[in-house]
């Protein structure tokens, strides 16, 4: 299947979702004479683009309140731009950690051309998307206690498992960026994030520019441990320079 045919199929799928309200994997596979695995990848890619919502066995159209909100429409585009720029930092055969979060999860389609990856994640949705990739990266999960707030595994068991590995890179999001201190979060369960940072040679933070400058009480990862901050092009030059003073490389995705 050529890239052009893939794009045409996904365009047609999106039209049907918007017209019918929902579609099923089985029906789409029969319609396009392709496998259900291929259709699931199409739906995952469209969901990552913020164009529909996945559901069990198929997909549904975005709720109208989301479609009507321009900020919500731009949000997935920003996340995709940031995710692509972050994924460009990954080399073949790297051992990486992808923390839970919507921005980090947006990286998954960008990994499809990387060879020999070993990926640990504490998020089930990230794990499921990794398993759909044709290049089949080696998947590791730490286990531990399920945290419904972050939709990920946390706790001492997870920390012990992560400590037993050595990783090239950690990709992690943030609820806010304190320009003086580092990444901040609303979640008080920050132990695993810090262990992840300790276990990786490079720490890459993915965050939208509108979160930079937000001072949230819980410091997650101090600047001393951050190597890269990847954001969108909404970051102003003065703030960028202030962050770079902490010896952090700032990448503004276009």
């Amino acid at each position: 299947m050529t890239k052009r045919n893939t794009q045409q199929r996904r365009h047609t799928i999106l039209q049907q979702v918007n017209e019918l309200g929902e579609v099923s994997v089985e029906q789409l596979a029969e319609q396009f004479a392709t496998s259900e695995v291929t259709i699931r990848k199409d739906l995952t890619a469209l969901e990552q683009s913020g164009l529909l919502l996945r559901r069990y066995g198929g997909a549904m159209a975005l709720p109208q309140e989301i479609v009507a909100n321009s900020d919500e429409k731009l949000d997935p585009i920003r996340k995709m731009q940031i995710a692509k720029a972050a994924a460009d930092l990954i080399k073949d055969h790297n051992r990486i950690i992808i923390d839970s979060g919507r921005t980090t999860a947006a990286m998954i389609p960008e990994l499809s051309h990387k060879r020999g990856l070993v990926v640990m994640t504490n998020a089930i949705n990230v794990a499921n998307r990794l398993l759909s990739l044709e290049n089949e990266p080696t998947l590791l999960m730490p286990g531990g206690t399920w945290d419904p707030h972050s939709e990920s595994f946390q706790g001492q068991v997870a920390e012990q498992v992560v400590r037993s590995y050595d990783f090239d890179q950690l990709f992690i999001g943030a609820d806010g960026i304190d320009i003086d201190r580092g990444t901040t979060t609303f979640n008080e369960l920050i132990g695993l994030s810090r262990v992840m940072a300790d276990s990786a040679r490079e720490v890459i933070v993915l965050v939208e520019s509108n979160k930079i400058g937000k001072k949230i009480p819980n410091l997650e990862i101090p600047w001393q441990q951050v190597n890269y901050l990847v954001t969108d092009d909404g970051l102003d030059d003065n703030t960028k320079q202030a962050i770079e003073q902490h010896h952090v490389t700032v990448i503004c995705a276009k």
Side-chain angles (χ1 to χ4, degrees), residues 16-232:
Q16 292 186 14
V17 169
N18 290 330
E19 291 172 1
L20 302 175
E22 60 181 75
V23 293
S24 75
V25 170
E26 183 179 0
Q27 291 173 342
L28 292 172
E30 183 177 351
Q31 175 183 345
F32 292 102
T34 189
S35 69
E36 293 188 5
V37 171
T38 297
I39 296 299
R40 290 191 188 96
K41 290 177 181 177
D42 289 339
L43 297 180
T44 296
L46 291 168
E47 182 184 46
Q48 288 295 318
S49 298
L51 300 173
L52 52 73
L53 294 176
R54 291 293 308 276
R55 65 170 182 79
Y56 182 77
M60 60 184 291
L62 288 171
Q64 286 302 307
E65 59 269 23
I66 293 180
V67 175
N69 190 311
S70 60
D71 288 338
E72 290 288 347
K73 289 171 71 177
L74 286 173
D75 188 56
I77 297 174
R78 294 190 190 102
K79 291 184 188 301
M80 289 176 61
Q81 291 170 335
I82 293 168
K84 185 178 187 307
D88 287 342
L89 298 172
I90 301 173
K91 299 178 181 178
D92 290 344
H93 306 290
N94 271 13
R95 297 164 62 89
I96 67 175
I97 308 174
I98 299 179
D99 192 24
S100 59
R102 289 191 300 162
T103 308
T104 49
M107 291 177 57
I108 306 305
E110 306 298 332
L111 305 183
S112 60
H113 302 298
K114 309 286 184 180
R115 295 179 298 172
L117 293 182
V118 176
V119 186
M120 175 175 278
T121 183
N122 59 335
I124 291 178
N125 67 320
V126 173
N128 286 334
R129 289 170 180 172
L130 284 166
L131 291 173
S132 72
L133 296 179
E134 292 182 359
N135 56 340
E136 298 181 346
T138 298
L139 173 63
L140 305 174
M141 295 197 73
T145 302
W146 179 254
D147 172 40
H149 174 77
S150 62
E151 296 185 341
S152 64
F153 291 105
Q154 302 285 339
Q156 293 184 357
V157 171
E159 292 170 19
Q160 290 172 3
V161 172
V162 173
R163 284 194 187 99
S164 66
Y165 289 89
D166 179 46
F167 294 95
D168 297 300
Q169 296 165 307
L170 163 64
F171 295 87
I172 187 168
D175 293 321
I177 296 292
D178 185 320
I179 296 172
D180 297 322
R181 299 189 300 161
T183 74
T184 56
T185 180
F186 293 109
N187 195 342
E188 294 183 354
L189 298 175
I190 56 179
L192 182 59
S193 298
R194 291 179 174 176
V195 171
M196 287 177 172
D198 289 339
S199 302
R201 295 185 182 89
E202 289 184 340
V203 175
I204 297 97
V205 176
L206 289 69
V207 64
E208 297 92 327
S209 61
N210 59 11
K211 293 182 179 179
I212 297 176
K214 284 187 176 181
K215 293 187 177 181
I216 299 167
N218 299 317
L219 176 67
E220 189 167 25
I221 300 178
W223 286 130
Q224 291 86 342
Q225 288 190 280
V226 177
N227 300 93
Y228 293 89
L229 185 141
V230 185
T231 187
D232 55 70

